[in-house]
Amino acid sequence: MRTSRIRTATLAAVTAALALGLTACGGADDGSKAAGGDNAAGSAQSRSAAGGDGKGGGEQANGGGDTKEGARSTTASGGTGEAASKGTTAGAQQCRGDEMLLTAVHRFAGQQGDHLLVTATNKGTKPCWVTSYPTVKLGDESAALPHSNKDNPGGDKHITLQPGGTAYSAVNLFDYGSKNHTAQSFALALRGADGHNGPSYSVDLKGEKPQFSWSEADVLNWSTKKPYNF
């Protein structure tokens, strides 16, 4: 009986020990799961943060907005280049007749609006300017034509012509049927800012009707646009 009790006690102790071991193992499993949960949550947070960084990278790519700003800076720099070009223009000299190609065409011959379209093109290698209106003497006349009192204001401005650039003027012809004059060419001189004339150059008319007649005539200011362009 004593032996039996000892064996029973021993078995009970072993059973209790096994139960405690199993409980401890179960606790370890729960801990692992919790840790795994924490790890999973940590991973999720890391991915979220990475995603956030990714979005931040998107902001930097929108900081490709910064790149766009850079593009605008380049444009502004181009604007600076243009301003520099204007600076060069500001230092331009007055156009010289020997560096200009001067031509004329008779337009609307015998009609209302009869005029000589005068074209001056800069054939030099540097910018130059013209101002006011050209001094024009028709045919063999010794007197220069007056400035048109119907002209637009602003004749005192400098019109800068880049190499190859063109300015236009016009000689208005009025035929009143008496005291008419006839010619096929005229003399033209460029006026300075002080109103003084440069050398005169002979201009022959081109086109189908180079001969023109007039009783009275006057001249328009230089312009970058063709007058009577209709």
Side-chain angles (χ1 to χ4, degrees):
M1 291 293 294
R2 189 184 235 170
T3 302
S4 177
R5 284 180 187 167
I6 291 172
R7 286 179 180 171
T8 302
T10 301
L11 286 172
V14 171
T15 301
L18 286 173
L20 287 172
L22 288 174
T23 302
C25 287
D29 287 344
D30 290 343
S32 295
K33 285 179 184 177
D38 290 343
N39 288 339
S43 297
Q45 287 173 359
S46 297
R47 281 195 296 271
S48 254
D53 291 343
K55 289 178 183 176
E59 287 171 4
Q60 290 176 0
N62 287 341
D66 292 345
T67 304
K68 290 178 183 176
E69 289 290 339
R72 282 196 287 272
S73 294
T74 303
T75 304
S77 173
T80 303
E82 289 171 8
S85 174
K86 289 179 182 177
T88 304
T89 298
Q93 301 296 316
Q94 181 180 354
C95 293
R96 290 171 23 188
D98 58 354
E99 293 185 344
M100 304 293 286
L101 174 62
L102 301 170
T103 61
V105 177
H106 189 192
R107 302 181 70 204
F108 306 113
Q111 305 174 45
Q112 185 176 2
D114 191 351
H115 69 279
L116 308 178
L117 175 65
V118 181
T119 302
T121 303
N122 180 7
K123 303 304 280 186
T125 58
K126 297 180 180 179
C128 66
W129 54 263
V130 294
T131 189
S132 187
Y133 59 95
T135 297
V136 175
K137 297 178 181 180
L138 298 179
D140 297 327
E141 297 292 314
S142 59
L145 296 179
H147 177 231
S148 173
N149 57 13
K150 295 182 180 179
D151 200 1
N152 294 324
D156 58 340
K157 293 181 180 178
H158 288 186
I159 298 177
T160 301
L161 304 180
Q162 299 296 330
T166 298
Y168 303 94
S169 177
V171 177
N172 298 315
L173 302 172
F174 305 102
D175 186 352
Y176 297 124
S178 62
K179 296 183 180 180
N180 285 352
H181 307 276
T182 301
Q184 293 188 8
S185 65
F186 60 89
L188 183 149
L190 299 175
R191 299 165 66 91
D194 57 2
H196 291 114
N197 298 328
S200 292
Y201 296 88
S202 178
V203 181
D204 294 322
L205 267 72
K206 298 181 178 181
E208 297 178 357
K209 297 181 179 181
Q211 183 170 296
F212 56 93
S213 299
W214 75 98
S215 298
E216 295 181 13
D218 55 30
V219 189
L220 297 181
N221 288 325
W222 290 112
S223 174
T224 54
K225 296 180 180 179
K226 288 183 181 180
Y228 310 120
N229 194 24
F230 41 75

